[in-house]
Amino acid sequence: MIHCFFNVRTFSYMISLSILMAFSGCGPDGGSAGDDSYDVHSYAKPAEALVTHIDLDLSVNFDKKELAGTAALSISNKSGTNKLHLDTRDLTIEKVTLDEAGTETAFTLGEAAPYLGQEMIVDILPETRKVTIHYRSAPQAEALQWLSPSQTAGGQHPFLFTQSQAILARTWVPCQDSPGIRITYTATIRTDPSLMAVMSAENGTVKTEDGIYTFKMTQPIPSYLLALAVGDIEYRALGPRSGVYAEPSVIAKAAFEFGDTERMMDAAEALYGPYRWDKYDIIVLPPSFPFGGMENPRLTFATPTILAGDRSLVSLVAHELAHSWSGNLVTNATWNDFWLNEGFTVYFEYRIMEALYGAEYANMLAQLGFQDCQAAIKSMGADSPDTHLFLNLKGRNPDDGMTSIAYDKGSLFLRMLEQEFGREKFDDFLKTYFNEFAFKTMTSRGFLEYMNNHLLNSDPALRQRLQIDEWIYGPGLPSNSPKPTTEEFRKVETQVSAWSDGKSAADLQIDQWTTHHWLHFLRSLPNEISSERMADLDQTFGFTRSGNSEIQFAWFMHTIANKYQPADQALHDFLTGVGRRKFIKPLFEQLIKTEDGRKRAESVYKEARPGYHPVTYQTIDEILDWKTD
Ligand code: BES
Ligand code: ZN
């Protein structure tokens, strides 16, 4: 049953809309332009013809920086249409054929729109079941980063990895690129025999002799979870269901760092039900990977910057693992509902961390997240619609909505509910929710309705008292927001005060401090610090040369603001060696606050940019107003 529903103000508008509908059909989940499950970031018309499965056959060409081959799309024609609408961006389409007979068919490509790419319309017949697209990707495809050997740990072999979230899958696979549409897939990937290919699918653990790898993903996933990595990698098991892939020189360090993965899986299952994806592996990518982690199913992609040597940054693994429920199992219907993926995942991440390392640890993470949330609200403006959980990203790049609001305000909302209903009841509710909507999509409104029926007892007074609508559809943090605090951080604040009052760093009481104590310490320092006092900290605690990327990052924010020159070389090495956007972006923003800093930013960026992933360099191009030709 298809529901096409919209709010209309005038009759003439209604007529023009219905004419429009006749041509455009409905969006994902049978929604239409006035429906909150309609995806403004996709050209697909799944209510007309839906892609249900993709067979990929791609050759990896490092010289040309090109993936070339075929994508065979299985379709379910819902309406007897003779058009299939797809998303593409920067793809060269050679030809399109239909069904097993391989009859060539006509197609058109629409005008290229910024970030959305080109609509592809393929002529089909009502009885067509398979559409095979012969195509190649562009060297500048935004989902792909082609690394030269010198950009890898081993320095001997090239490396390729993809990043499809949010709407970049269309730059390497012609598809219906909307999170509300799920597909199964198989793939044959052909590469040089010195390299190994892995995907968000069933993976092998050793290289093949001919460099040909076949994959199968039998559980239906949204296109943003399509993922591929190719490089000189090897595998090491961590436990019966988990393991790690990394370059040979990194594998031992990675295996140690992720030693608690199997326990995390057990803790997650104890909370919210069985892990439904069989294996959980992690691949450690080269340092240019633009994110901390990406929850590609069965195979989390991770930055090497979490290899601190002491397992202190593994909440990232808990986070990506948690997405196996929140996001990969129950998926945001559109990018307006991004908080359903990330807010739930951050909440779940903290619960896993609490189960493994205790409540104090998890509360330190929550307090840092709360600080991030407050800072985000402050920088966006307390009334900004971008601080709503439910977003309106129409006409904007979905990337614009991927802020701390979805993550931290989202998790605070769930924490508020937990506190209100008690753990037992709230955990039961979440477990049932994940089960009920497994392999389905969810809108914010759909979640509220489900919660209203299953948690709030359909009690309007309760809904009002908990300010549910303010949380989802209103700005900032409602007055009933939890404010996570910890005793451990109070101790840190005492030491910051003592140091600010002139005590020397060597006399501070820092026994048994962990990475998170240090992060709170660094975040709590005054903005203005003299060179002598910076040197006092640095000589005592060795921040500049810390092996912990989070600590280094927090420290560099101060070294830039206070022009602390002894850190300049290390900052330069960090900016040219690491491409993780969460670090790189604020550092450049901090640099350009002064004239002298801007000059430094320009010069280091010139050097660093060729090594950054498109996702990172596009962000920095904007910050520096960098013109590319
Ligand atoms: N799914 C996100 C990464 C992402 C979000 C990629 C939006 C593209 C668009 C992933 O789960 C994530 O949140 N990663 C965080 C780490 C996490 C511990 C908060 C990151 O990369 O920093
Ligand atoms: Zn996430």
Side-chain angles (χ1 to χ4, degrees):
M1 170 89 171
I2 300 163
H3 300 277
C4 290
F5 159 86
F6 26 76
N7 294 313
V8 284
R9 294 222 171 86
T10 68
F11 188 62
S12 66
Y13 180 44
M14 194 151 96
I15 291 176
S16 61
L17 256 184
S18 51
I19 292 169
L20 197 75
M21 283 301 302
F23 288 100
S24 64
C26 289
D29 276 349
S32 73
D35 184 329
D36 58 1
S37 64
Y38 178 81
D39 185 359
V40 296
H41 296 114
S42 172
Y43 294 110
K45 300 192 192 308
E48 294 182 11
L50 176 74
V51 175
T52 58
H53 175 86
I54 301 183
D55 294 307
L56 290 171
D57 187 328
L58 296 172
S59 297
V60 183
N61 188 326
F62 280 96
D63 294 330
K64 292 188 179 165
K65 300 190 174 175
E66 173 184 285
L67 293 173
T70 55
L73 280 40
S74 303
I75 59 173
S76 162
N77 196 323
K78 303 280 181 194
S79 62
T81 179
N82 54 13
K83 303 278 182 212
L84 173 67
H85 296 256
L86 300 171
D87 295 294
T88 73
R89 186 176 155 203
D90 295 333
L91 297 181
T92 303
I93 312 288
E94 261 127 42
K95 63 173 177 180
V96 183
T97 61
L98 299 183
D99 292 319
E100 303 308 329
T103 325
E104 206 165 327
T105 191
F107 66 91
T108 58
L109 282 173
E111 214 175 299
Y115 62 83
L116 294 176
Q118 293 172 281
E119 176 175 27
M120 180 178 178
I121 307 177
V122 181
D123 285 359
I124 58 170
L125 299 168
E127 56 274 17
T128 301
R129 289 291 160 264
K130 196 187 260 188
V131 172
T132 302
I133 302 169
H134 299 247
Y135 74 102
R136 54 193 68 241
S137 66
Q140 77 277 12
E142 200 177 326
L144 308 178
Q145 193 177 14
W146 300 87
L147 298 176
S148 62
S150 66
Q151 292 174 281
T152 66
Q156 300 297 311
H157 299 275
F159 205 107
L160 163 70
F161 62 82
T162 66
Q163 167 57 43
S164 297
Q165 197 181 14
I167 55 168
L168 306 181
R170 64 190 69 177
T171 71
W172 68 287
V173 181
C175 62
Q176 294 184 322
D177 196 9
S178 169
I181 301 171
R182 304 181 90 84
I183 47 160
T184 52
Y185 78 88
T186 69
T188 301
I189 302 293
R190 303 162 195 277
T191 187
D192 188 276
S194 64
L195 306 176
M196 181 170 173
V198 287
M199 292 189 82
S200 52
E202 243 174 77
N203 282 302
T205 55
V206 288
K207 285 180 183 157
T208 59
E209 253 166 46
D210 55 5
I212 301 177
Y213 296 85
T214 55
F215 303 94
K216 210 163 62 179
M217 171 44 95
T218 52
Q219 287 119 322
I221 58 163
S223 56
Y224 76 87
L225 296 176
L226 285 168
L228 166 69
V230 182
D232 178 24
I233 51 175
E234 58 182 61
Y235 178 77
R236 187 165 308 174
L238 295 168
R241 291 187 296 174
S242 60
V244 60
Y245 294 87
E247 288 188 66
S249 66
V250 179
I251 194 88
K253 191 169 185 194
F256 168 78
E257 207 78 31
F258 303 145
D260 284 336
T261 302
E262 201 76 30
R263 285 176 59 216
M264 287 186 180
M265 295 178 77
D266 295 341
E269 288 187 311
L271 282 165
Y272 302 127
Y275 179 75
R276 309 246 203 162
W277 308 86
D278 308 323
K279 282 285 302 284
Y280 178 73
D281 296 326
I282 303 162
I283 178 169
V284 179
L285 296 169
S288 65
F289 183 56
F291 296 104
M294 177 63 214
E295 66 272 25
N296 297 315
R298 299 181 67 114
L299 183 63
T300 283
F301 282 25
T303 169
T305 62
I306 53 167
L307 304 180
D310 59 3
R311 300 185 177 176
S312 64
L313 301 178
V314 294
S315 61
L316 184 132
V317 174
H319 179 97
E320 305 311 336
L321 171 65
H323 272 305
S324 308
W325 287 259
S326 43
N328 298 4
L329 209 53
V330 184
T331 308
N332 53 206
T334 78
W335 299 115
N336 291 334
D337 305 299
F338 185 56
W339 76 277
L340 292 177
N341 275 18
E342 297 299 343
F344 278 62
T345 297
V346 170
Y347 174 81
F348 194 169
E349 166 200 335
Y350 295 163
R351 295 297 303 276
I352 294 171
M353 294 307 281
E354 179 180 329
L356 263 75
Y357 309 112
E360 199 66 15
Y361 191 128
N363 284 334
M364 289 198 278
L365 294 176
Q367 195 173 337
L368 292 168
F370 181 63
Q371 291 166 4
D372 289 339
C373 188
Q374 287 179 308
I377 292 169
K378 193 165 167 215
S379 87
M380 293 174 184
D383 294 329
S384 166
D386 286 348
T387 66
H388 299 191
L389 284 178
F390 180 62
L391 296 169
N392 180 2
L393 293 168
K394 191 170 164 45
R396 297 168 74 187
N397 190 324
D399 226 35
D400 291 356
M402 299 181 169
T403 70
S404 158
I405 297 300
Y407 288 82
D408 300 309
K409 182 180 174 182
S411 79
L412 285 162
F413 174 58
L414 298 184
R415 196 177 174 100
M416 179 279 287
L417 293 172
E418 177 205 302
Q419 287 172 1
E420 189 63 36
F421 294 98
R423 275 217 169 154
E424 203 178 334
K425 188 162 177 197
F426 190 57
D427 283 352
D428 271 355
F429 165 74
L430 284 183
K431 192 172 178 172
T432 316
Y433 167 75
F434 288 132
N435 208 28
E436 186 124 344
F437 297 100
F439 301 107
K440 295 198 174 103
T441 57
M442 182 54 65
T443 61
S444 299
R445 192 197 300 260
F447 174 70
L448 287 196
E449 196 180 306
Y450 184 78
M451 183 175 74
N452 199 41
N453 295 335
H454 293 84
L455 195 65
L456 304 183
N457 224 354
S458 308
D459 175 352
L462 182 57
R463 180 169 175 155
Q464 204 166 17
R465 180 170 70 74
L466 299 182
Q467 305 183 60
I468 304 292
D469 294 278
E470 285 85 340
W471 274 96
I472 311 297
Y473 302 114
L477 281 176
S479 57
N480 63 344
S481 172
K483 295 169 187 55
T485 51
T486 69
E487 197 39 50
E488 289 303 303
F489 279 5
R490 260 190 281 277
K491 291 184 202 160
V492 171
E493 287 151 22
T494 307
Q495 299 308 309
V496 172
S497 300
W499 183 80
S500 301
D501 291 345
K503 201 170 193 177
S504 72
D507 295 330
L508 299 183
Q509 284 159 30
I510 54 149
D511 286 354
Q512 319 235 325
W513 277 17
T514 66
T515 293
H516 301 98
H517 292 86
W518 286 115
L519 291 177
H520 187 57
F521 180 84
L522 287 165
R523 288 177 176 206
S524 306
L525 289 173
N527 290 334
E528 278 177 39
I529 307 175
S530 70
S531 291
E532 296 72 47
R533 296 298 278 160
M534 288 291 285
D536 176 47
L537 290 175
D538 201 17
Q539 281 158 16
T540 312
F541 303 128
F543 293 137
T544 295
R545 288 288 163 196
S546 166
N548 188 301
S549 59
E550 294 277 356
I551 289 177
Q552 264 189 315
F553 163 71
W555 172 243
F556 289 146
M557 292 298 281
H558 290 290
T559 70
I560 296 169
N562 293 294
K563 303 195 170 55
Y564 176 67
Q565 286 174 353
D568 285 357
Q569 184 60 41
L571 172 64
H572 171 275
D573 296 348
F574 193 87
L575 289 170
T576 51
V578 173
R580 187 174 171 188
R581 187 171 63 173
K582 175 183 119 166
F583 294 149
I584 299 307
K585 180 178 178 223
L587 290 171
F588 274 106
E589 285 171 338
Q590 184 83 316
L591 273 169
I592 62 169
K593 282 182 183 163
T594 65
E595 214 171 297
D596 171 62
R598 174 167 268 280
K599 281 197 206 112
R600 281 178 64 205
E602 300 272 348
S603 112
V604 70
Y605 189 47
K606 203 179 216 168
E607 202 181 319
R609 191 178 185 280
Y612 287 167
H613 186 281
V615 160
T616 300
Y617 70 65
Q618 286 189 7
T619 302
I620 309 302
D621 283 357
E622 254 174 58
I623 292 171
L624 296 186
D625 211 5
W626 197 264
K627 302 274 181 290
T628 50
D629 33 42

